[in-house]
Amino acid sequence: MSDHVIVTDIARADASTVEALAEFGAATVHEAMGRIGYAGPRIRPIQQGTAISGSAVTVLAAPGDNLLIHAAIEQAQPGDVIVVVPKAESPYGYIGDLMVTQMHARGVRGYVTTGGVRDTAELREMGFPVWTAHVSAEGTVKDTPGSVNVPVVLDGVVVHPGDVVVADDDGVTIVPRERADAALDASRRRVAKEAGDREAYAGSELSMDRKGLRSVIADLGIRTLTQAEYEAERRGAATPS
């Protein structure tokens, strides 16, 4: 039996939950889940000012080959995000405006990859959001096996088909499908807490006091000195005994 598969009937999180997570963004969701799920700073948007969330359709691609991305487009539903991970580092332009034209027509919400993309000006003009590790004019072939809708590792984060992709200017966070509702609740609580902090800081309260950081600094052995005290200690340390 072949190890290469195209899985056609993946489970997805509740659509209203998926939609709602976009409001909070990659950073808030990452923090709310306990500082997990963030795919790292290498995967960056080609556009600015766009925030999305959607269910992951995953592609495990061969280096320099986009055959299975074509297959993934066929499996995508409106609101999905196609997540492509080559089996080895592969900075090729896996997709361009023609591939995105298909995705756009099928209601695909965005594209995330550790590979590369091209035609970036055209993709921005089309309003199709992309997060990528590489931009490259070099194209691909279509003659090597791979898989669709299997687990992939997106720069250290495991993405299962149907997981929720939350992406914005700060990067990409992956929410496990079974944790989507809990992540949404935690994100709402975090935003409410931050609203309280923001109001306090606008009223001149300091985070040093609000978050109890003075005792943390003291416990770490960090001393508070005047400049005169600091300079006197430096002179004393420099004086030969």
Side-chain angles (χ1 to χ4, degrees):
M1 183 175 65
S2 172
D3 291 332
H4 303 105
V5 297
I6 298 173
V7 181
T8 62
D9 55 347
I10 65 171
R12 293 167 172 83
D14 178 77
S16 62
T17 300
V18 175
E19 292 279 349
L21 282 165
E23 173 188 346
F24 299 99
T28 293
V29 174
H30 161 67
E31 295 282 355
M33 288 197 301
R35 299 177 62 84
I36 64 171
Y38 172 54
R42 192 170 75 109
I43 302 175
R44 301 176 58 84
I46 66 167
Q47 68 288 316
Q48 293 293 308
T50 298
I52 69 165
S53 57
S55 296
V57 170
T58 62
V59 179
L60 184 62
D65 192 303
N66 73 356
L67 175 63
L68 273 295
I69 302 174
H70 292 265
I73 294 172
E74 183 179 29
Q75 301 305 320
Q77 297 181 5
D80 285 346
V81 176
I82 294 179
V83 179
V84 177
V85 176
K87 297 176 183 178
E89 183 68 11
S90 188
Y92 293 84
Y94 277 78
I95 66 163
D97 67 313
L98 292 179
M99 298 280 280
V100 166
T101 297
Q102 297 181 68
M103 295 183 202
H104 197 275
R106 294 187 67 84
V108 173
R109 188 161 288 159
Y111 182 90
V112 173
T113 185
T114 54
V117 301
R118 61 182 182 180
D119 299 338
T120 53
E122 289 87 344
L123 302 192
R124 285 189 289 268
E125 289 174 6
M126 295 169 72
F128 185 82
V130 169
W131 286 259
T132 183
H134 304 284
V135 173
S136 174
E138 188 172 9
T140 57
V141 297
K142 299 171 180 63
D143 59 13
T144 317
S147 294
V148 175
N149 284 329
V150 299
V152 297
V153 181
L154 185 73
D155 268 14
V157 176
V158 177
V159 186
H160 292 88
D163 285 351
V164 184
V165 180
V166 181
D168 59 13
D169 287 351
D170 292 333
V172 176
T173 292
I174 303 300
V175 180
R177 177 177 59 85
E178 65 276 8
R179 293 189 58 181
D181 289 333
L184 179 58
D185 290 342
S187 297
R188 286 171 172 158
R189 291 194 299 271
R190 183 173 180 84
V191 165
K193 176 183 177 299
E194 288 180 346
D197 288 343
R198 190 172 295 106
E199 182 178 359
Y201 299 153
S204 297
E205 186 174 349
L206 294 175
S207 56
M208 286 283 287
D209 298 311
R210 187 171 179 84
K211 295 187 178 297
L213 299 180
R214 298 187 192 282
S215 60
V216 176
I217 286 175
D219 290 345
L220 290 172
I222 302 170
R223 297 179 300 139
T224 301
L225 304 175
T226 66
Q227 184 173 5
E229 290 169 336
Y230 176 67
E231 294 296 340
E233 286 196 4
R234 290 186 63 196
R235 287 193 298 271
T239 301
S241 57

